[in-house]
Amino acid sequence: MKHKIVVFASGSGSNFENIVLKSKENYIPAEVSCLVTDKAGAGAIKRAIRYGVKVVVVNWKPRYLGEKNALCVLEKENPSLVVFAGFMKVVSPEFVSHWRGKILNIHPALLPAFEGTTNAIELSVEKRVRIAGCTVHFVDESVDGGPIIAQAATLIDPDEEIEKIEQKIHSLEHKIYPAVIKGILEGKIIFDQQNNRVIFKDNKMQLSSIFSIEI
Ligand code: GRF
């Protein structure tokens, strides 16, 4: 049977759409069965409708009720992975405990740089970083501090328009997120719960295919 993925998104949903497309192309061996969002106006919703993906809008106020409802959705869907793609909420330790090692997040910076912030790209430009990028990690109790799975980097010119820098980072996100999801579902990337770290079955994957420097 095909794996199921549930994506959580609050924003425009470009990562969500990319994951849906990569699943439809069978690059990711799964079906995106549901989009969960806390924002009734999220751009991701329109994209979900376009691809016939079920949408559940969960009111996140108060958080405990939002999480309770989201956990009910997850129990029903029973996905192999829960993929946060621009989901702007911090989940509680209790939520994590139900899905430990199965929740992924993507952050638009090279963690631990600019962790715990929602405007990592703006801050990177403000600090005039020359190497920017993105990080995919497992979600644990910390904010953006879970075990790192993959990072991709690109050289940037901090004087360039921020939209261009954002585009560069997004295009890296659109490469590494599907690669990580595929790697996990194919059993090539494993979460070692005892040591709270990531194990790569294929050393080449760790060194080349998902860690990339683009110039
Ligand atoms: C991405 O930059 C991701 O790293 C961050 O939120 C953004 C979501 O973008 N967590 P989109 O909604 O997928 O276009």
Side-chain angles (χ1 to χ4, degrees), residues 11-16 47 85-88 105-108 121 170 173-174:
S12 96
S14 72
N15 279 285
F16 161 73
R47 300 189 200 243
F87 182 56
M88 305 311 266
N105 185 43
I106 189 155
H107 188 72
I121 300 181
H170 275 133
E173 292 186 340
H174 294 169

Side-chain angles (χ1 to χ4, degrees), residues 26-211:
N26 289 320
Y27 171 75
I28 293 174
E31 175 212 357
V32 178
S33 69
C34 183
L35 168 74
V36 174
T37 182
D38 59 309
K39 290 260 182 313
I45 296 177
K46 277 195 192 145
R47 300 189 200 243
I49 292 167
R50 196 180 311 147
Y51 293 103
V53 176
K54 177 169 53 197
V55 177
V56 180
V57 181
V58 174
N59 184 349
W60 223 262
K61 273 182 194 155
R63 178 171 86 170
Y64 82 91
L65 261 189
E67 290 194 348
K68 195 173 160 211
N69 289 331
L71 284 171
C72 282
V73 174
L74 291 177
E75 201 183 322
K76 206 164 135 214
E77 296 293 325
N78 194 25
S80 303
L81 282 176
V82 179
V83 174
F84 288 180
F87 182 56
M88 305 311 266
K89 296 287 178 203
V90 173
V91 289
S92 69
E94 215 237 310
F95 186 95
V96 173
S97 72
H98 283 87
W99 289 87
R100 187 180 302 285
K102 292 197 167 168
I103 313 173
L104 305 178
N105 185 43
I106 189 155
H107 188 72
L110 295 168
L111 288 172
F114 306 110
E115 70 184 351
T117 170
T118 51
N119 54 348
I121 300 181
E122 289 86 340
L123 287 176
S124 309
V125 173
E126 209 177 292
K127 290 284 176 192
R128 300 188 65 76
V129 304
R130 306 299 202 282
I131 300 178
C134 56
T135 305
V136 178
H137 63 92
F138 283 110
V139 172
D140 67 6
E141 289 76 5
S142 63
V143 180
D144 298 329
I148 289 174
I149 307 167
Q151 294 184 300
T154 181
L155 297 185
I156 59 160
D157 170 358
D159 290 322
E160 209 171 20
E161 285 165 37
I162 189 146
E163 291 76 19
K164 283 212 177 122
I165 294 173
E166 271 167 3
Q167 259 174 27
K168 272 189 176 174
I169 293 174
H170 275 133
S171 79
L172 291 180
E173 292 186 340
H174 294 169
K175 280 186 201 152
I176 67 165
Y177 219 178
V180 166
I181 294 168
K182 179 182 172 71
I184 294 174
L185 295 178
E186 290 179 348
K188 293 176 184 154
I189 301 173
I190 292 162
F191 175 63
D192 171 3
Q193 183 154 344
Q194 223 174 353
N195 301 300
N196 196 34
R197 51 163 296 191
V198 180
I199 297 171
F200 288 84
K201 284 284 172 202
D202 173 355
N203 212 25
K204 258 200 254 156
M205 171 177 256
Q206 170 154 3
L207 293 174
S208 64
S209 63
I210 53 179
F211 286 74

